[in-house]
């Protein structure tokens, strides 16, 4: 970690006293933490702890019943999915959510949809403005394809790709939006050691080269402790601990409730 | 050996984004255009032009429209007939209310009105999905047809409820509708419109809007989360799709049959067009044409087969057999290749690319 | 089954609308005749014909519930069953034997559909299966008529078609419709027991939830599909008998299925009680609209009224009256 010159800035996103429930089921119970510009922030906890729901709250897919979200100094009760995407929050999904019928290239191109400005008539005519725009964005997407080392599967329909590559394409689609905050939901689940190493490298490079703030959910404790600047621990929707990897590792509640049980 | 990709180097993204990246494809397309625009009008008989090529082209256009909505955007619609009827009756009202307006503008206007109606009936698609939506589109089908039958205003109070296209010219005294119009003029006019609109469809589906449609089709939640606005993307699909269907309906009424009643656009028509895209290939521009050709030619073949074989089968029997064969073919295609003729065609091309050295 | 309070409110809302709208129309327009006995006569007639819609909708629900397939061919199955019954009876079989034989035919049909179509489309997307059932519908329509001819045939059950007078002779109800309603009620109870309390019924529900999971715990998918299509065929046969004796056995029976679709979206695709209550609402609403609204806005609104009613309803409750609420997750 020391080889990187980290540029961690001010708080960019703060979640205060978030509670979320579906009917009688309480998914998040009074959770509060913040995220600083440029850091890698992890959320850990056993299955069903509410980690993915937390990401869904951050990008506005779920609307919490209580609490507030402060994003770039603006305090609000809940995020809106579309506005979240437009203001620079992108994410990947626990169960891959790629567009199965489209090629790798087209999938990543969809990540740039918010940046493409041609109207439907220009696109219907295509030649001229729409073509120019298409090619500009293609260049950007090709940079991402190079970065993720997936040049040879550019035109393959993603449904045919092996799991590890699908995870990469999904990361590529999120990167194509040039996000300020990147939410990664178990990017290494089901991968072997080499694939995990590749993915870790990509995550660090994204954070370092593009200065992207990353919120990470991951079960592999080794990876989490290596990559993260700060870690928040959830269990049954409640917040158990929040702090640096070392602090969390030595926290007795965490050891009892989580690390102690599953290891 | 002849059809190959090797040796075709694309050094710009522009070249990589072309519709036909392989030169042989471009040449065969030019060949098809030459046949369609020059050879067929020169040698085609009245029967071929009037009873085969015209319905084929017009239904292919409607299939293209439905394919945008269902094949690309994933919104299953059983309301195609209703939108075609909207196009036909709008064209009639426009042509009779403004007799001096050029036929191209009449058809364009009819398409736009159909698009507006499509948007209206597309609004429920935000909340209703899948089969619920398919049934909801039937509501538009039944409502629109009922409206054109019930309110005399749409047919200018004709007693029979049938509308007849007024004679209109394309340029000078070349008529494309009415009794003076020649089949060649009708055919070339229809062909030109269909070619231009097929190009528009191809452009749309290879652009950002096309990718947004497919994203909504493949996984709507993920599409929404990456910032694709759900309502406007779906409504654009409904609008473009109904525009195509509306133009097809106007051409059907004005150029193909000349006069038409709302019943020509009943729920059977909706299913006919749906079969075209299933058999041709969901989510493929080429598939709309292949499917339309298949569905138009099959009944003609079935009707003529007994005579050719010297069998004597009653006509109602033939129509029942037609149902059976249609049904069996639909199932057969879905089992063998859910992506239709277009996929079979591209598999063939992939083989051809490697031929004669497949390893 | 626990009934949500919302559902009761919605149903009460429908009932209030069905009374208030015709009454208001009667007050406002000279062209609309309204008095209470007449209103009840129309409403009861509508409810009874709604039961007939429910009978068709039940077939859809069964297959959807147990296999997740939206079976568009239910109408064609109704027609095919009725044609076969009348055809066999015409060949000289006594009615009871013809019914038993037709039940056998429906079983064979289920086997054929499973072998030739469904087994080849396992794990395909629902939309592909739906389109396959459209293919089956076309095939059956053609096959039945090729076999038995397409002229309208009479099916006589020996029940009087004569109207009976009830409530001091003020309200006129068809005895036949009452009989049909009784049959439908019996069917619902039997099916409800079948799904809830028998081993096969539970297996059916397991398959509906997840094909692969059901397979992995040893439920043979093949048999389940044959059973459920057979049951849907039998329900189709009952519907075919009732509808066929009402309007003659003819191609139009196949189109009746289109009438049942709004019932489905109103009641929810997966709910047997939904099919019944949806049918009642659609049946009554449609008849009341035709009598009390059509004089004001133009005849023939029966064509689309049910669809518009269902569509308007969906805007508020996209999963239908009794459908399971969809929680979206990523």
């Amino acid at each position: 970690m020391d080889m990187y010159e980290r540029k961690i800035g001010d708080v960019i996103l703060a979640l205060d006293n978030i509670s979320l429930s579906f009917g009688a089921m309480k998914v998040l119970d009074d959770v509060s933490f913040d995220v600083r510009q440029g850091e890698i922030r992890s959320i850990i906890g056993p299955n069903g702890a509410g980690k993915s729901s937390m990401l869904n709250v951050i990008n506005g897919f779920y609307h919490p019943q209580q609490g507030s979200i402060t994003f770039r100094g603006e305090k609000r009760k809940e995020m809106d999915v579309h506005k979240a995407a437009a203001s620079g929050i992108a994410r990947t999904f626990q169960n891959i959510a790629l567009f199965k019928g489209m090629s790798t290239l087209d999938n990543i191109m969809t990540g740039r949809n918010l940046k493409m400005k041609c109207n439907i008539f220009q696109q219907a005519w295509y030649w001229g403005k729409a073509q120019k725009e298409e090619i500009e964005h293609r260049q950007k997407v090709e940079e991402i394809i190079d970065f993720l080392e997936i040049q040879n599967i550019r035109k393959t329909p993603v449904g045919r790709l092996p799991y590890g590559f699908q995870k990469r394409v999904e990361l590529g689609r999120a990167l194509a939006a040039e996000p300020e905050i990147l939410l990664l939901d178990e990017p290494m689940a089901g991968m072997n050691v080499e694939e995990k190493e590749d993915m870790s490298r990509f995550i660090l490079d994204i954070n370092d080269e593009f200065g992207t703030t990353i919120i990470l959910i991951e079960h592999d404790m080794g990876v989490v402790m290596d990559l993260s600047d700060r870690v928040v621990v959830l269990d049954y929707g409640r917040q158990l601990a929040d702090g640096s990897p070392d602090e969390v590792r030595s926290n007795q509640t965490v050891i009892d409730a989580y690390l102690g049980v599953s290891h | 050996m002849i059809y190959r990709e090797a040796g075709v180097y694309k050094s710009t993204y522009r070249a990589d984004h072309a519709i036909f990246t392989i030169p042989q494809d471009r040449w065969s397309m030019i060949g098809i255009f030459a046949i369609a625009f020059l050879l067929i009008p020169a040698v085609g008989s009245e029967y071929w032009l009037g009873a085969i090529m015209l319905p084929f082209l017009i239904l292919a256009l409607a299939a293209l429209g439905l394919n945008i909505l269902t094949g690309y955007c994933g919104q299953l619609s059983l309301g195609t007939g209703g939108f075609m009827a909207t196009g036909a009756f709008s064209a009639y009202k426009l042509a009779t209310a403004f007799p001096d307006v050029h036929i191209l503008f009449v058809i364009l206007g009819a398409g736009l009105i159909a698009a507006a109606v499509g948007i209206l009936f597309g609004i429920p698609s935000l909340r209703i999905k899948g089969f619920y939506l398919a049934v909801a589109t039937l509501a538009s089908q039944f409502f629109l047809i009922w409206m054109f039958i019930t309110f005399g205003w749409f047919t200018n109070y004709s007693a029979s409820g049938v509308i007849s296209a007024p004679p209109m010219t394309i340029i000078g005294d070349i008529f494309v509708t009415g009794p003076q119009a020649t089949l060649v003029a009708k055919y070339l006019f229809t062909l030109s419109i269909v070619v231009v609109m097929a190009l528009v469809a191809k452009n749309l589906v290879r652009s950002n809007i096309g990718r947004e449609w497919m994203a909504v089709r493949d996984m709507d939640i993920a599409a929404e989360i990456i910032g694709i606005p759900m309502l406007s993307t779906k409504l654009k699909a409904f609008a473009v799709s109904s525009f195509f269907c509306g133009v097809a309906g106007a051409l059907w009424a004005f150029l193909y049959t000349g006069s038409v009643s709302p019943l020509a656009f009943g729920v059977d028509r909706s299913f006919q067009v749906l079969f075209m895209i299933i058999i041709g290939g969901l989510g493929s521009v080429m598939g709309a044409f292949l499917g339309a050709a298949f569905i138009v030619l099959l009944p003609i073949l079935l009707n003529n087969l007994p005579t050719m074989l010297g069998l004597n089968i009653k006509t109602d029997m033939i129509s029942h057999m037609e149902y059976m064969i249609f049904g069996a073919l639909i199932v057969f295609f879905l089992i063998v290749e859910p992506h239709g003729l277009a996929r079979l065609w591209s598999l063939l091309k992939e083989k051809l690319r490697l031929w004669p050295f497949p390893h | 089954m626990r009934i949500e309070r919302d559902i009761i409110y919605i149903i009460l809302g429908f009932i209030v609308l069905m009374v208030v709208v015709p009454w208001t129309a009667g007050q406002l327009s000279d062209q609309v005749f309204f008095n209470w006995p007449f209103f009840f006569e129309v409403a009861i007639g509508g409810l009874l014909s709604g039961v007939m819609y429910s009978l068709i909708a039940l077939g859809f629900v069964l297959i959807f519930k147990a296999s997740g397939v939206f079976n568009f061919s239910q109408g064609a199955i109704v027609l095919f069953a009725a044609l076969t019954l009348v055809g066999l009876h015409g060949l000289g079989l006594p009615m009871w034997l013809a019914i038993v034989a037709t039940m056998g035919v429906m079983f064979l049909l289920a086997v054929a559909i499973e072998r030739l179509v469904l087994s080849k489309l396992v794990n395909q997307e629902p939309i592909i299966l739906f389109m396959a059932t459209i293919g089956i519908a076309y095939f059956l329509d053609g096959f039945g008529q090729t076999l038995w001819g397409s002229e309208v045939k009479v099916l006589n059950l020996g029940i009087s078609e004569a109207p009976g007078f009830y409530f001091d002779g003020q309200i006129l109800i068809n005895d036949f419709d009452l009989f049909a309603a009784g049959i439908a009620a019996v069917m619902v109870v039997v099916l409800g027991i079948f799904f809830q309390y028998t081993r096969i019924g539970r297996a059916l529900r397991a398959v509906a939830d997840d094909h692969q999971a059901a397979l992995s715990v040893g439920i043979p998918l093949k048999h389940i599909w044959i059973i459920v299509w057979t049951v849907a065929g039998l329900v189709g046969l009952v519907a075919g008998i009732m509808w066929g004796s009402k309007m003659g056995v003819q191609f139009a029976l196949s189109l009746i299925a289109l009438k049942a679709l709004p019932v489905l979206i109103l009641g929810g695709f997966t709910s047997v009680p939904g099919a019944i209550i949806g049918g009642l609402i659609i049946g009554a609403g449609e008849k009341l609209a035709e009598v009390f609204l059509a004089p004001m806005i133009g005849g023939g609104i029966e064509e689309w009224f049910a669809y518009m009613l269902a569509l308007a309803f969906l805007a508020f409750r996209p999963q239908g009256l009794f459908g399971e609420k969809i929680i979206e997750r990523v």
Side-chain angles (χ1 to χ4, degrees), chain B residues 29-210:
Chain B
M29 211 57 211
I30 291 172
I32 289 172
F33 279 140
I35 293 172
F37 276 101
L38 303 172
L39 190 65
I40 292 180
V43 303
S45 66
E46 293 248 307
Y47 178 73
W48 263 91
L49 287 178
I52 295 176
M53 289 312 289
L54 273 181
F56 157 67
L57 287 170
I58 295 169
L59 288 172
L61 191 59
L64 208 49
L66 182 62
N67 219 346
I68 285 172
L69 185 59
T70 301
Y72 283 97
C73 195
Q75 310 298 303
L76 181 57
S77 165
L78 300 173
T80 316
F83 298 127
M84 288 177 77
T86 308
F89 282 79
S90 308
Y92 177 70
K93 286 305 285 184
L94 289 171
T96 49
F98 310 103
D100 299 328
V101 173
H102 192 267
I103 184 164
L104 276 176
F105 290 104
V106 167
I107 289 175
L108 185 69
L112 290 176
I113 293 172
V117 173
I119 290 176
L120 193 66
F121 282 103
I123 292 172
S125 70
L126 184 69
R127 295 206 61 182
I128 311 174
K129 289 175 184 174
F131 300 129
Y132 285 91
L133 180 67
V135 176
T137 58
L138 274 176
S140 64
Q141 168 75 43
F142 291 127
F143 179 78
L144 289 169
I145 300 301
W146 169 83
M147 190 174 81
F148 294 126
I149 292 176
T150 308
F151 299 109
W153 183 80
F154 291 106
T155 56
N156 289 349
Y157 303 99
S158 100
S160 56
V162 170
I163 52 167
S164 298
M168 298 179 93
T169 59
I170 175 76
I171 187 168
D173 57 355
I174 302 175
F175 281 90
V176 286
T177 64
Q180 293 116 300
T182 63
L183 272 173
V184 172
K186 285 183 177 184
Y187 167 77
L188 286 174
F189 181 66
T190 308
L191 179 66
S192 311
I193 290 181
V194 171
V195 166
V196 170
M197 288 183 67
L199 195 60
V200 165
K202 186 73 201 174
N203 285 342
L204 286 173
V205 299
R206 64 180 170 146
S207 298
N208 190 40
I209 182 75

Side-chain angles (χ1 to χ4, degrees), chain A residues 107-133:
Chain A
N107 264 281
I108 301 179
M109 285 289 273
T110 57
R112 297 197 68 78
N113 76 87
L114 284 166
K115 302 193 184 304
M116 299 188 79
K117 300 291 174 212
C118 279
N119 65 36
I120 193 165
F121 298 104
Q122 288 164 329
Q123 293 182 54
W125 175 245
Y126 188 76
W127 294 280
K129 225 169 162 207
Q131 188 181 31
K132 201 165 143 256
E133 187 180 48

Side-chain angles (χ1 to χ4, degrees), chain A residues 12-259:
Chain A
I12 182 173
L13 175 76
L15 299 135
D16 295 303
N17 311 100
I18 299 287
S19 293
L20 172 76
S21 49
F22 292 113
M25 194 169 65
K26 199 127 203 181
V27 182
L28 292 171
D29 187 5
D30 199 24
V31 177
S32 305
F33 64 93
D34 61 25
V35 181
R36 291 173 180 278
Q37 176 110 44
E39 76 173 334
I40 299 182
R41 188 74 152 110
S42 289
I43 306 176
I44 61 171
N47 287 324
K51 304 183 299 293
S52 291
S53 296
M54 198 65 234
L55 292 196
N56 283 330
V57 166
I58 293 174
N59 78 349
F61 188 66
Y62 289 163
H63 296 161
Q65 279 82 9
Q66 278 156 39
S68 67
I69 304 167
T70 312
F71 179 49
R72 286 197 193 138
E74 199 184 322
K75 186 172 172 178
R76 59 193 104 192
K77 202 184 157 297
E78 60 193 29
M79 299 290 281
D80 168 276
V81 176
H82 186 77
K83 280 200 196 114
S87 55
I89 300 179
R91 72 173 286 183
T92 66
F93 301 86
Q94 185 179 349
N95 304 309
I96 297 170
L98 284 170
F99 307 126
K100 293 238 156 40
M102 301 160 72
S103 67
T104 298
L105 182 63
D106 280 346
N107 264 281
I108 301 179
M109 285 289 273
T110 57
R112 297 197 68 78
N113 76 87
L114 284 166
K115 302 193 184 304
M116 299 188 79
K117 300 291 174 212
C118 279
N119 65 36
I120 193 165
F121 298 104
Q122 288 164 329
Q123 293 182 54
W125 175 245
Y126 188 76
W127 294 280
K129 225 169 162 207
Q131 188 181 31
K132 201 165 143 256
E133 187 180 48
E134 190 85 355
I135 288 167
E136 274 168 23
H137 288 282
R138 170 78 187 267
Q139 260 150 2
K140 206 77 201 164
V141 165
E142 287 292 338
E143 284 168 22
I144 293 165
I145 288 178
D146 287 344
F147 174 79
L148 294 173
E149 298 156 18
I150 47 178
Q151 294 90 337
N152 54 337
I153 55 164
R154 200 185 266 125
K155 299 249 165 127
T156 316
V158 293
R160 286 195 219 159
L161 294 176
Y163 182 79
F165 276 112
Q166 294 197 7
K167 282 269 183 194
R168 271 196 218 181
V169 176
E170 206 184 27
L171 180 59
R173 184 179 68 189
L175 282 181
E178 298 176 49
E180 203 160 329
I181 302 184
L182 181 59
L183 316 178
L184 301 176
D185 197 346
E186 299 194 21
M188 289 166 229
M191 287 186 166
N192 63 30
V193 179
E194 286 83 21
E195 288 172 326
K196 279 184 183 176
E197 279 171 0
D198 280 342
M199 191 52 92
S200 303
R201 180 163 55 83
F202 291 138
I203 293 173
L204 286 174
D205 283 352
I206 291 163
N207 178 249
D208 186 50
E209 282 182 31
F210 310 135
T212 310
T213 308
I214 291 172
I215 303 179
L216 174 73
I217 294 178
E218 185 47 56
H219 276 299
D220 186 319
M221 280 310 121
V223 171
V224 170
M225 296 306 170
D226 275 355
L227 295 185
S228 319
D229 295 303
R230 288 190 295 159
V231 180
V232 57
V233 189
L234 298 183
D235 188 22
Y236 291 111
R238 283 170 302 117
Q239 188 170 340
L240 290 190
D242 184 7
S244 71
D246 286 333
E247 286 165 13
V248 165
R249 219 189 318 242
S250 55
N251 183 311
Q252 196 54 45
T253 337
V254 176
I255 294 170
D256 290 347
Y258 178 43
L259 297 174

Side-chain angles (χ1 to χ4, degrees), chain B residues 76 127-129 131-132 135-136 138-139 142-143 146 221 271 275 278 316-317 320 323-324 327 331 334-335 338, chain C residues 70 72 116 130-132 134-135 138-139 142-143 145-146 150 265 269 299-301 304 307 311 315 318-319 328 330:
Chain B
L76 181 57
R127 295 206 61 182
I128 311 174
K129 289 175 184 174
F131 300 129
Y132 285 91
V135 176
L138 274 176
F142 291 127
F143 179 78
W146 169 83
I221 297 175
F271 277 111
F275 290 159
I278 298 174
D316 69 326
M317 194 60 120
H320 300 326
Y323 267 84
M324 280 173 68
V331 174
L334 289 174
I335 290 171
Chain C
F70 179 20
F72 195 81
L116 299 174
F130 165 67
M131 293 193 201
I134 299 181
Y138 268 68
F139 182 84
F143 185 56
Q145 294 184 84
T146 307
S150 54
I265 54 177
F269 279 66
I301 60 174
W304 55 265
Y307 279 93
L311 188 56
Q319 75 271 31
E328 290 179 310
V330 276

